[in-house]
Amino acid sequence: MPSALITGITGQDGRFLAELLHSKGYKVYGLLKGQNNPKTALLRDEHPYVELVHGDLCDLPSLISAVETVRPDEVYNLGAISFVAMSFNQAELTANVTGLGVLRLLEAIRIVGGSQNNPIRFYQASSSEMFGKVRETPQTELTPFHPRSPYGCAKVFGHDITVNYRESYGLYACSGILFNHESERRGLEFVTRKVTNAAARIKLGLQEELVLGDLEPRRDWGYAGDYVKAMWLMLQQDQPDDYVVATGETYQVREFVRLAFEAAGIDDWQRYVRQDPKFLRPAEVDLLVGDATKAQTKLGWRREVSFPELVKKMVDNDLAIESVGR
Ligand code: GDP
């Protein structure tokens, strides 16, 4: 039975990946940080097959111990401070967890090793935020990075150190440059879920308005359930490599809002949306759109959920959740 250790197990992608690996017959371990982590109960409820191991991306001994105890075939590093807006307020913490955390985990893998015939395979969750102020459109694996936030800077370090460990020590280490990927499990701090939840609550008469920041930025939004399949595929190849995972389509925040309100049965979304400068960021990423040709041709990866389907799935889910107990 193959085994995998996932950091960020309580996050959106950790939960989707745990399901995928479990369905493929893996023994799944999740790295859980902190005492009394509030998300433990949800995880135990939703994914009882996941075995939790204590450890923290900021603590190398705990990572060595986790890798030594589990002896996984594959390690997926999905743990990070992942909210861009927050990274401006807690830049040092973001650099430590999202950036240096990758180095610590790679080091733990290098120290523990794995067997000669079966070295531990490593996946790093890199991000389209690394492209930031984009140098070319669409963005590929070869597009230079120009991050626009402490989060983006930390992800660039994580990406580069992954490539460096692969080249220096021959580690089977891959970096997936994933563009925004969303789902019903997205946290409410991200614009997609904030919007679908508000559209549902406004429709149900539970909320009067939705307050947002900049409606102009464009993102390449896919479905998280599709994207975790690309992570797994990357670790099943003969050689480790880096891949862009994206839909190749881009939409403005404003278009997401319009579609979400429509899906909730509200045509005049402008009536309910107000903008507040407090949601603006010190530097913005204006446009992201990825070219996933390499992932498609080499991994055979395809996204299955379209943009309108993604928005509808999220709105339907929020309508169902918010209707309970009304
Ligand atoms: P990101 O692409 O990782 O930063 O994902 P987010 O969902 O946090 O933000 C996507 C885009 O939506 C960014 O360009 C934000 O500036 C923009 N945006 C506009 N209003 C809001 C808001 O109220 N919350 C968030 N999170 N983003 C907003």
Side-chain angles (χ1 to χ4, degrees), residues 84 129 180 189 191 194 212-214 217 219 253 281 284:
V84 170
E129 285 291 317
N180 296 53
E189 65 274 32
V191 79
K194 181 174 173 182
L212 293 172
D214 196 348
R219 289 290 181 277
V253 173
R281 296 168 181 183
E284 184 56 84

Side-chain angles (χ1 to χ4, degrees), residues 59-78:
D59 181 290
L60 176 62
S62 77
L63 298 176
I64 296 173
S65 156
V67 175
E68 217 162 37
T69 310
V70 171
R71 299 241 161 222
D73 297 296
E74 298 171 5
V75 174
Y76 293 86
N77 184 35
L78 313 185

Side-chain angles (χ1 to χ4, degrees), residues 10 60 74 90 98 107 188 199 237 240 286 304 313 324:
T10 60
L60 176 62
E74 298 171 5
Q90 301 192 20
T98 308
E107 197 51 31
L188 287 164
Q237 306 306 306
D286 296 325
E304 277 157 37
K313 251 179 190 296
V324 175

Side-chain angles (χ1 to χ4, degrees), residues 82-85 127-129 151 180 182 186 188-194 210-219 221 253 279-281 284-286 288:
S82 62
F83 183 36
V84 170
S127 162
S128 56
E129 285 291 317
Y151 169 79
N180 296 53
E182 317 294 314
R186 201 48 148 155
L188 287 164
E189 65 274 32
F190 291 87
V191 79
T192 52
R193 183 80 199 289
K194 181 174 173 182
L210 166 61
V211 186
L212 293 172
D214 196 348
L215 302 182
E216 306 289 312
R218 291 176 172 276
R219 289 290 181 277
W221 279 295
V253 173
F279 289 111
L280 299 179
R281 296 168 181 183
E284 184 56 84
V285 172
D286 296 325
L288 291 175

